[in-house]
Amino acid sequence: VTLREVWRQGTEFLRRAGVKTPALDAEVLLRHLTGQSREEFYRDLPLPWLQDSDLRWREMLNRRASGTPVAYITGEKEFYGLTFQVTPAVLVPRPETEILVQRALELFQEKRLPPNAWVLDIGTGSGAIAVTLAVNLPKIQVTATDISVDALAVARANARRHQVQARLHFETGDLWPPEGSAPADGLKFNLVVSNPPYIEAEQIAQLSPEVRHEPTLALDGGPDGLSVYRRLISGLKKYMLPQGWVLLEVGADQADHVSELLAAAGFKVLPPVLDLAGYPRVVQAKEG
Ligand code: SAM
Ligand code: GLN
């Protein structure tokens, strides 16, 4: 049996199970098993398949067919050109969130933020935002919080993997870092970023099987999806340095609400950044 035939059968199996991208998922899973690059995979399609991997292959296909996200099976996900470790304790980083990262990097390029800024990432999960910013901005320091100790363990592993652990300060906390943690003098930040849980609680049961495999803690935004934003925005002022910026990822219909909350808390709100589908995805505001 050739690799091509194994791929075809796996694709067919996933398609019948209702998987939306069966060929791509089968390819990614097969390559994870063999360690092949994309180029090697396509080059080797006519070659015989190694039978001794057959059992693991079937196990992977079954997990994927039952809705487990590909990233939980491979243990990895690409985000902003970097590979992140992921486990079921963290949300799989999303392309939408790359827009928040992109906007933050622009603020530094445009010199609206100092190169040696302190950044706070609230609800860091895998560390996708915090680590990517630290990799791309060699002088910033980042405090990253999460209420999940298991998520923070993954974020720490990702900081080490990308060699930015010296400039990342992970703190367990309900939104905010504990008193006395870095930056010690006043616990104030030039930039606060967050992709908080923002799904309406009642909607979670209706989401795709993939999303339902992700931690409820990472998704549940309370009865109207805005609970975490309300608490976050009402506490925010105290953590901002003068001229500081705030970037918040929001759900497709939440930008107006979140902008109003920020304005009511005394922030100067700018027009949101749109995602590739045209939805307002990143709300931006300035201190003062
Ligand atoms: N920042 C990551 C990303 O963009 O991929 C993860 C975002 S995920 C939507 C939200 C994260 O917030 C989860 O890791 C969850 O554990 C964390 N979280 C939920 N409630 C929290 C709270 N009250 N305080 C701190 N973190 C919280
Ligand atoms: N982007 C995720 C989704 O639509 C939700 C993440 C979040 O709640 N911040 O499934």
Side-chain angles (χ1 to χ4, degrees):
V1 186
T2 61
L3 180 59
R4 188 190 304 281
E5 180 57 16
V6 173
W7 183 27
R8 196 194 62 75
Q9 287 175 9
T11 300
E12 200 42 40
F13 179 76
L14 294 182
R15 191 197 314 282
R16 290 220 191 90
V19 171
K20 296 269 157 40
T21 50
L24 175 64
D25 290 9
E27 178 200 316
V28 172
L29 293 174
L30 261 176
R31 289 206 283 108
H32 178 69
L33 200 56
T34 61
Q36 288 163 308
S37 68
R38 255 204 131 176
E39 291 71 24
E40 290 162 346
F41 179 78
Y42 284 98
R43 183 196 64 199
D44 294 349
L45 282 175
L47 301 184
W49 165 251
L50 305 163
Q51 296 291 340
D52 52 347
S53 307
D54 205 49
L55 221 87
R56 277 188 65 206
W57 172 232
R58 274 163 209 287
E59 193 193 333
M60 285 173 133
L61 284 178
N62 282 323
R63 285 185 71 195
R64 183 67 196 99
S66 68
T68 305
V70 173
Y72 287 163
I73 301 174
T74 63
E76 287 184 345
K77 178 72 184 181
E78 193 98 339
F79 179 84
Y80 212 87
L82 300 172
T83 304
F84 282 82
Q85 183 197 322
V86 296
T87 74
V90 302
L91 187 92
V92 178
R94 303 285 205 271
E96 290 91 324
T97 308
E98 294 179 335
I99 294 173
L100 186 155
V101 167
Q102 178 69 50
R103 182 62 192 137
L105 295 178
E106 278 171 22
L107 292 178
F108 283 91
Q109 277 153 20
E110 294 165 3
K111 301 202 172 9
R112 293 170 201 256
L113 287 167
N116 61 348
W118 273 95
V119 178
L120 173 61
D121 176 22
I122 300 171
T124 197
S126 63
I129 299 173
V131 169
T132 305
L133 290 178
V135 166
N136 285 279
L137 300 163
K139 289 180 181 153
I140 64 164
Q141 300 270 342
V142 186
T143 297
T145 68
D146 209 291
I147 202 164
S148 159
V149 176
D150 292 340
L152 282 176
V154 176
R156 277 198 186 91
N158 282 317
R160 280 194 301 274
R161 176 177 194 149
H162 295 294
Q163 309 265 293
V164 291
Q165 71 274 24
R167 291 181 292 117
L168 272 171
H169 311 271
F170 292 104
E171 303 287 353
T172 313
D174 183 2
L175 301 184
W176 311 110
E179 289 297 322
S181 55
D185 53 342
L187 211 58
K188 286 179 188 289
F189 299 87
N190 302 94
L191 170 65
V192 176
V193 293
S194 185
N195 172 21
Y198 57 60
I199 311 283
E200 287 176 35
E202 283 199 346
Q203 296 280 319
I204 292 176
Q206 274 121 67
L207 298 173
S208 70
E210 284 76 13
V211 181
R212 281 186 276 120
H213 276 78
E214 296 184 281
T216 306
L217 193 55
L219 303 170
D220 189 345
D224 67 353
L226 299 168
S227 295
V228 182
Y229 294 112
R230 280 196 195 90
R231 285 205 302 131
L232 194 160
I233 291 168
S234 68
L236 193 52
K237 274 264 153 164
K238 169 176 158 199
Y239 294 91
M240 301 298 305
L241 281 167
Q243 325 293 323
W245 282 76
V246 184
L247 297 176
L248 302 178
E249 180 174 328
V250 295
D253 57 357
Q254 294 174 325
D256 287 347
H257 283 114
V258 173
S259 297
E260 280 164 27
L261 291 170
L262 282 161
F267 287 88
K268 182 173 185 292
V269 181
L270 287 90
V273 185
L274 307 185
D275 66 18
L276 297 174
Y279 293 109
R281 185 59 69 180
V282 179
V283 169
Q284 26 176 10
K286 280 161 74 175
E287 156 72 3

